[in-house]
Amino acid sequence: MPQHASPLRLFQNAPFRALWTATLASNLGGLIQAVGAGWMMTSIATSSDMVALVQASTALPIMLFSLPAGALADGLDRRKIMLTAQIFMLLVSVALTVCAYTDLLTPWLLLGFTFLIGCGTALHNPSWQSSMGDIVPREDLPSAVLVNSMGFNLMRSVGPAIGGAVVAAIGAAAAFAINAASYLTLIIALLRWTPLRPAATLPREAFAPAVAAGLRYVAMSPNLVKVMFRGFLFGFTAIAVLALLPLVARNLLGGSALTYGIMLGCFGFGAIGGAFASGPLRERYSNETIVRSAFLVFSAAVVVLGLSREIWLSCLTLLFCGACWVMALSLFNATVQLSTPRWVVGRALALYQTATFGGMAGGSWLWGTIADSHGSDRALLISGAWLVLGALVGLRLPLPEFEGNNFDPLDRFSEPQLRLDLKYRSGPIMIMVDYDIAQENVPAFLAAMAARRRIRIRDGARQWALLRDLENPDIWTETYHVATWIEYVRHNQRRTKADAESAERLRALHKGDRPPHVHRMIERQTVPLRDDMPLKDHPDMH
């Protein structure tokens, strides 16, 4: 297993240091606002499920809008996207503050404001997380994810306590005002940041095809599907603690807003410890062992939290909850980033967030409903049992390791010199690749072609098929379609170094000194009365 790089090395990177520090201040404001919103809902609502819906209203937009935001992150300037998101959240927070000061807030209006802030977060997060690969080297990505998580939880260790004190002393409206001011730090840092973006060799992919490409890539990547399903399970079950914590503080412990803030602070302190422990643990144990342990320890802690009536025991329990929370979620995040090429990383991260925050939104509603009917203590006990089930799922769907495949671009494709006057939008294009395979190599060829089929479809091929010549059975022809010539070029540029093994296996099985022959053809569904695709060097063109 690779050696763990010290997270402190990241702070020698000036852009990372500046953005991380600004994000720290923004997170502090967000956590103070979360305490204000959670505690205000306990004051203006009459049911437990409305309190839990504060968490759901923040997580739901991330589930709904992360994929479109990921497509934008892969196709547009990520810095501009983040600036837009931060300015939007600033304006929403100012409106929330005004409504709170003027006593206009109702439970549903409060949920509306938290939903809008969640929309800004959904727009910001894919660009921010996918920017990590632009700011730090690949080998530092796991550390960067952990340091980002540690920064958030550093603020979580003090922010909720500050928020509880602010709410208890001068009211929730002040907490909302502090959050509005905190967005300015990150806006200023983003304005000063000048990221290096590689020069685009092709026109930007249209929005709808970009979204479809992200969905297709993840669907054809078994490791990513595993990570996202495990993230959904963890978010669905573990969110019970954060969703019900205001009720635990008020009903089970008889505390105040300050009690709630202190308990959230303990969760944050535990998360910091988990961030520091994660690196050494990864050197000794597999990713799956760490994640499975996080499920089980979180389960035990949730059960104790549901049974406890002493604040010191509940706070001690929350330390373990926080540590398991950050270890599991940071491993999921880093695995997605290291299992995805740069061209689609924003969309992959967005789909991971959709799965995880979708689980959190659904879980917040479910545990709130159970708490409303049977009490928050029983809801916590039930969620603890479901966390054990999440650990058992790892026996069938284990988390992959970081050092598996190299997803850097292969960069072997050169656009062929065409004799037809083709435009990027010309199509549809049909590709045929001829292989000459000896009979004794057919089983190995079919196994290699199964992997090739997944790669082709994952990178944009349509109507993939494998043909065998009836008169010369040694001849096999792989065929597939792409919509336009530019999609064919993109299809080939998406190939990674991890995909090279499949091509090399097929090349080794092919008979003869020459490589498999590739036919590139443009389709016509009708027979035109004239040649609508003339030769480039034909005199009639001029």
Side-chain angles (χ1 to χ4, degrees):
M1 192 164 291
Q3 291 298 307
H4 168 60
S6 171
L8 296 178
R9 186 176 74 178
L10 292 169
F11 292 99
Q12 298 173 8
N13 184 320
F16 180 86
R17 183 174 65 247
L19 291 169
W20 184 86
T21 305
T23 302
L24 212 63
S26 181
N27 286 337
L28 176 62
L31 289 162
I32 292 173
Q33 184 269 344
V35 173
W39 196 257
M40 174 165 274
M41 188 62 84
T42 65
S43 304
I44 63 178
T46 57
S47 62
S48 299
D49 57 341
M50 291 298 291
V51 177
L53 281 177
V54 173
Q55 283 289 333
S57 66
T58 303
L60 182 62
I62 298 175
M63 179 192 74
L64 294 176
F65 305 126
S66 281
L67 179 56
L72 294 175
D74 285 329
L76 299 177
D77 188 326
R78 292 168 183 156
R79 171 177 165 273
K80 292 181 180 178
I81 294 173
M82 289 187 279
L83 276 169
T84 301
Q86 292 299 313
I87 292 170
F88 173 76
M89 288 189 284
L90 168 63
L91 296 175
V92 173
S93 296
V94 169
L96 172 59
T97 304
V98 171
C99 288
Y101 270 117
T102 54
D103 292 326
L104 295 177
L105 278 183
T106 64
W108 286 107
L109 186 58
L110 177 58
L111 289 177
F113 278 120
T114 55
F115 180 86
L116 289 175
I117 291 174
C119 290
T121 303
L123 180 61
H124 173 85
N125 279 353
S127 290
W128 167 240
Q129 293 183 22
S130 54
S131 291
M132 287 299 100
D134 303 326
I135 298 172
V136 303
R138 176 183 171 84
E139 61 270 17
D140 287 339
L141 263 178
S143 295
V145 172
L146 275 172
V147 168
N148 281 332
S149 183
M150 183 181 69
F152 176 78
N153 287 288
L154 178 64
M155 293 299 97
R156 179 177 260 162
S157 64
V158 296
I162 295 172
V166 169
V167 172
I170 52 180
F176 302 150
I178 291 171
N179 180 47
S182 72
Y183 291 115
L184 295 173
T185 58
L186 190 50
I187 289 172
I188 293 170
L190 288 169
L191 288 171
R192 292 178 175 176
W193 179 41
T194 53
L196 296 176
R197 288 180 62 85
T201 58
L202 294 175
R204 181 170 61 86
E205 194 171 10
F207 179 76
V211 171
L215 287 167
R216 182 178 58 242
Y217 187 92
V218 170
M220 299 302 294
S221 302
N223 282 344
L224 291 178
V225 173
K226 288 180 187 177
V227 176
M228 291 176 190
F229 182 63
R230 300 292 298 284
F232 169 82
L233 285 178
F234 189 81
F236 182 81
T237 51
I239 195 61
V241 170
L242 294 177
L244 301 178
L245 205 55
L247 301 174
V248 172
R250 187 188 66 181
N251 299 341
L252 300 186
L253 302 177
S256 64
L258 183 58
T259 307
Y260 172 48
I262 291 172
M263 295 178 75
L264 272 177
C266 290
F267 188 96
F269 272 119
I272 294 170
F276 277 112
S278 185
L281 286 174
R282 282 194 287 110
E283 292 180 1
R284 299 184 60 183
Y285 303 104
S286 68
N287 288 346
E288 175 54 34
T289 299
I290 296 171
V291 167
R292 198 179 305 166
S293 300
F295 269 96
L296 293 173
V297 174
F298 205 111
S299 171
V302 166
V303 170
V304 174
L305 184 65
L307 298 174
S308 171
R309 298 298 181 270
E310 300 290 337
I311 187 170
W312 69 266
L313 179 59
S314 297
C315 287
L316 180 63
T317 299
L318 288 167
L319 293 173
F320 289 96
C321 289
C324 295
W325 178 275
V326 76
M327 283 194 288
L329 292 181
S330 63
L331 272 176
F332 293 148
N333 187 300
T335 303
V336 170
Q337 295 218 40
L338 294 174
S339 301
T340 311
R342 297 301 303 164
W343 70 267
V344 74
V345 68
R347 282 160 281 185
L349 283 167
L351 284 167
Y352 159 70
Q353 288 189 40
T354 299
T356 304
F357 283 89
M360 291 180 187
S364 295
W365 172 81
L366 176 65
W367 307 126
T369 301
I370 294 174
D372 200 34
S373 304
H374 304 287
S376 52
D377 51 351
R378 290 190 180 180
L380 289 171
L381 295 177
I382 295 171
S383 72
W386 276 89
L387 280 159
V388 174
L389 181 62
L392 295 177
V393 169
L395 298 174
R396 293 295 303 272
L397 299 173
L399 206 67
E401 295 301 313
F402 289 154
E403 66 271 20
N405 295 316
N406 185 346
F407 289 92
D408 291 335
L410 187 59
D411 285 337
R412 290 184 186 171
F413 177 75
S414 297
E415 191 170 342
Q417 297 296 316
L418 305 178
R419 291 194 60 203
L420 288 181
D421 187 28
L422 223 61
K423 310 298 181 186
Y424 271 149
R425 65 179 182 275
S426 300
I429 305 297
M430 182 179 184
I431 308 300
M432 304 173 66
V433 186
D434 296 330
Y435 300 90
D436 193 350
I437 306 298
Q439 181 60 36
E440 61 270 19
N441 290 330
V442 166
F445 171 76
L446 293 176
M449 194 54 74
R452 170 54 64 93
R453 174 186 178 274
R454 181 180 59 80
I455 292 169
R456 293 286 198 201
I457 297 174
R458 184 201 67 191
D459 290 347
R462 305 175 183 178
Q463 303 172 35
W464 187 95
L466 184 62
L467 311 178
R468 192 175 192 182
D469 194 316
L470 296 177
E471 298 178 64
N472 186 358
D474 284 357
I475 301 301
W476 296 75
T477 302
E478 176 194 13
T479 71
Y480 63 93
H481 294 71
V482 288
T484 61
W485 180 252
I486 194 173
E487 290 303 316
Y488 174 69
V489 176
R490 283 199 179 101
H491 172 83
N492 284 278
Q493 289 185 351
R494 289 168 177 170
R495 206 67 43 80
T496 67
K497 293 180 180 179
D499 301 329
E501 180 183 352
S502 170
E504 289 167 1
R505 287 172 62 194
L506 289 168
R507 177 68 180 87
L509 293 169
H510 174 73
K511 291 190 294 185
D513 297 330
R514 295 184 177 181
H517 184 65
V518 181
H519 307 268
R520 303 175 182 90
M521 303 181 179
I522 187 165
E523 282 191 358
R524 286 291 176 261
Q525 300 299 322
T526 61
V527 180
L529 297 179
R530 62 180 182 82
D531 185 4
D532 61 349
M533 195 63 61
L535 298 177
K536 286 184 176 180
D537 53 358
H538 196 280
D540 292 341
M541 289 181 63
H542 304 288

